[in-house]
Amino acid sequence: MFEPRTIIEPFRIKSVEPIRQTTREQRTEALRRAHYNLFQLRASDVLIDLLTDSGTGAMSSRQWAGMMMGDESYAGSDSWFRFRDAVHGITGLEHVIPTHQGRAAERILFGAVCNPGDIVPNNTHFDTTRANVEARGATALDIPIAEGREPATHHPFKGNMDLMALERVLADNPGRVPVVMMTVTNNSGGGQPVSLENLRGASAICRRHGVPIFLDACRFAENSWFIREREAGHASESPREIARAMFAEVDGATMSAKKDGMANIGGFLALNDSDLARRCRDNLILTEGFPTYGGLAGYDLEAIAVGLEEALDEDYLRYRVRSVAYLAERLAAAGIPMVTPPGGHALYIDAAAMLPHIAATSYPAWALSCALYVEGGIRSVEIGTVMFGQQPDGTERAAAMELVRLAFPRRVYTQSHVDYLAEVLLYVNDRKDRIGGYRIVNQPPALRHFSAELEPIGGDPATS
Ligand code: F0G
């Protein structure tokens, strides 16, 4: 019997969007105009956009068809009920509160439970999660396992939480931890999965201390796939069954539907505590919208209801995880250091290891992401000291890791795009000694990576 070895894109293309070739000179000029901040580029100046996998995916024909069914009634629309049933069907969580994206769910949750002086532990906070915790005057505490901070160490579940650290935080701070978060997959730690065993362990500790645990569930489908592939005893379970087992361990979840909701916008907060849900809904009405649309159009709710199911499709998940692993194999063969194993939605290059001649305070990951743009028109994102180094008191501290994330939009690029990416990365790697550091010339007081203005210390943004 024919046993195919090639994992193909499990879709055919019905609608195409041109991407624009530019010259190196044009890109150098565009980057200068953007003050050496890739967030400030015009997207049409980018050839392959791996800035984020958030809201950048291609929707399916079924999603577009669903959008035509959007019921735009202000209250109680059919689209709301389809959305609620899809979320409840997958998560089993009682109360579903739609939001315009993940950070709105975070703001509403932390706004309801966090007070100044509180501590919120997480395997690793994503930047908006951290900012929303800190905006309440609380401390966002990252407690990944040690392997999660070591890019080259191989571990099947590098997203896991350090359960001893969790036990200690809860024991030492009674009454000061309003909620524990678990981010699946652990985006800022390299897109790494959390095992069901670890989630169960964290959940048991939280229950013993009477503290609720919530999932940051943005990439729950990818996490389910990794559990199936890597954790003993789950190989014959469907991603949906595994997802249900994950949600069964928690009291609630925040979700950005721009990731595993396969939609361009949207999110939700889902939880079991009726009193907390009421308080969250009261707040939702003030800032997002009525509880049956939460800042979304009826057609958005439809797109998400369909997308959540499509994200759990086995052929899709196999292709998705394989695309990232394929790029990782090409780069590993050339000796390019990265977080191993590769993550579900993204590959993370270890810029500290690749560019040891640039100190963390001269932003090696930022420098590498600028070089990839100038040489190949690739937009990536720095996850390093520019993103995480700015402290609430205005000082700067080197981030734990200097990573460049190449995030894969869902169902957007094909294998030849990935081959091109590998070619650019190998070219830049051959010339890495010529890449210099950066300095910040202007920055806002928080979340500086979005708008900070920088300049290359040696005056050259790339490798020549
Ligand atoms: N939590 C995680 C783990 C995320 O990755 C994100 C977004 C959010 C929360 C916030 O969701 O954007 O819908 O408000 N991550 C995107 C990224 C932006 O590029 O990784 P949002």
Side-chain angles (χ1 to χ4, degrees):
M1 199 179 74
F2 173 56
E3 290 281 356
R5 290 195 10 251
T6 309
I7 296 169
I8 62 169
E9 286 88 4
F11 49 80
R12 54 186 181 176
I13 295 164
K14 183 175 286 203
S15 174
V16 297
E17 182 182 13
I19 50 178
R20 194 168 74 92
Q21 297 279 358
T22 48
T23 64
R24 189 178 191 282
E25 286 64 42
Q26 286 170 326
R27 293 191 293 270
T28 304
E29 178 53 26
L31 187 60
R32 194 190 56 73
R33 277 199 312 270
H35 300 283
Y36 302 96
N37 185 332
L38 298 177
F39 280 102
Q40 298 297 320
L41 285 174
R42 255 192 106 111
S44 55
D45 289 330
V46 175
L47 183 64
I48 303 221
D49 204 343
L50 307 183
L51 182 68
T52 176
D53 64 320
S54 181
T56 51
M59 290 212 295
S60 68
S61 48
R62 280 187 57 224
Q63 284 178 292
W64 284 109
M67 287 185 79
M68 288 303 293
M69 302 281 289
D71 174 354
E72 304 303 338
S73 304
Y74 188 92
S77 80
D78 281 350
S79 300
W80 150 249
F81 288 105
R82 275 192 283 276
F83 173 89
R84 187 201 63 181
D85 292 348
V87 175
H88 179 70
I90 290 169
T91 65
L93 293 164
E94 206 53 44
H95 303 283
V96 178
I97 299 173
T99 59
H100 80 275
Q101 59 185 93
R103 65 199 67 184
E106 292 165 1
R107 190 190 57 75
I108 287 168
L109 173 65
F110 298 134
V113 302
C114 271
N115 292 306
D118 283 350
I119 302 169
V120 177
N122 196 330
N123 45 353
T124 309
H125 289 81
F126 181 66
D127 56 358
T128 60
T129 324
R130 169 173 293 280
N132 271 303
V133 169
E134 289 173 352
R136 298 291 303 167
T139 300
L141 182 70
D142 293 341
I143 45 169
I145 55 169
E147 292 89 337
R149 294 192 200 269
E150 298 159 4
T153 306
H154 209 86
H155 186 290
F157 291 102
K158 279 175 113 164
N160 282 353
M161 183 179 276
D162 179 341
L163 298 184
M164 264 156 53
L166 177 64
E167 175 69 54
R168 223 169 19 247
V169 177
L170 292 178
D172 291 352
N173 300 281
R176 284 183 62 207
V177 181
V179 62
V180 171
M181 301 293 296
M182 183 76 97
T183 306
V184 294
T185 56
N186 184 13
N187 184 8
S188 306
Q192 300 291 325
V194 173
S195 70
L196 201 51
E197 185 188 18
N198 187 257
L199 180 59
R200 286 188 170 138
S203 176
I205 293 171
C206 288
R207 268 174 234 298
R208 199 160 0 95
H209 288 273
V211 172
I213 178 167
F214 273 54
L215 278 185
D216 177 339
C218 296
R219 299 176 181 86
F220 75 97
E222 291 167 10
N223 202 87
S224 303
W225 184 257
F226 282 120
I227 288 175
R228 179 181 143 124
E229 296 286 285
R230 296 181 184 170
E231 190 165 354
H234 299 286
S236 61
E237 292 170 14
S238 69
R240 194 189 169 92
E241 286 169 326
I242 297 170
R244 176 51 86 89
M246 286 163 50
F247 284 108
E249 293 302 318
V250 297
D251 303 284
T254 56
M255 172 74 188
S256 167
K258 303 172 75 172
K259 285 80 169 177
D260 282 350
M262 304 285 232
N264 300 125
I265 196 72
F268 59 80
L269 171 63
L271 67 169
N272 285 332
D273 180 331
S274 298
D275 178 56
L276 179 57
R278 187 188 47 73
R279 286 189 285 132
C280 290
R281 282 199 186 99
D282 289 347
N283 199 319
L284 185 85
I285 294 177
L286 281 183
T287 56
E288 291 278 302
F290 190 71
T292 64
Y293 73 88
L296 295 170
Y299 54 68
D300 295 323
L301 297 168
E302 294 281 351
I304 297 164
V306 176
L308 286 167
E309 303 287 348
E310 291 184 351
L312 289 166
D313 178 78
E314 285 179 27
D315 287 340
Y316 160 72
L317 284 169
R318 184 178 294 111
Y319 135 81
R320 173 137 182 91
V321 167
R322 179 63 199 148
S323 314
V324 180
Y326 173 73
L327 179 61
E329 283 164 16
R330 300 278 307 270
L331 304 191
I336 297 178
M338 65 192 121
V339 176
T340 55
H345 68 297
L347 189 131
Y348 295 68
I349 300 178
D350 181 359
M354 184 168 163
L355 306 172
H357 57 284
I358 304 178
T361 45
S362 299
Y363 316 129
W366 193 273
L368 178 58
S369 66
C370 288
L372 293 177
Y373 173 68
V374 169
E375 301 301 348
I378 296 168
R379 177 154 68 169
S380 53
V381 70
E382 183 248 27
I383 300 191
T385 300
V386 178
M387 184 180 276
F388 286 128
Q390 189 177 32
Q391 304 302 308
D393 65 3
T395 59
E396 179 176 80
R397 200 161 60 207
M401 294 194 270
E402 287 293 328
L403 304 177
V404 170
R405 184 183 74 170
L406 304 167
F408 283 47
R410 290 170 180 74
R411 305 187 291 207
V412 168
Y413 295 115
T414 63
Q415 188 173 349
S416 78
H417 293 112
V418 180
D419 286 329
Y420 172 84
L421 289 172
E423 215 175 307
V424 174
L425 276 147
L426 265 54
Y427 177 89
V428 169
N429 187 50
D430 282 345
R431 291 157 184 77
K432 62 185 179 188
D433 296 344
R434 297 185 225 162
I435 299 175
Y438 278 73
R439 75 168 72 87
I440 291 177
V441 289
N442 223 329
Q443 65 179 8
L447 292 177
R448 65 181 178 181
H449 51 291
F450 293 127
S451 60
E453 298 178 355
L454 289 91
E455 64 186 16
I457 291 168
D460 191 320
T463 60
S464 61

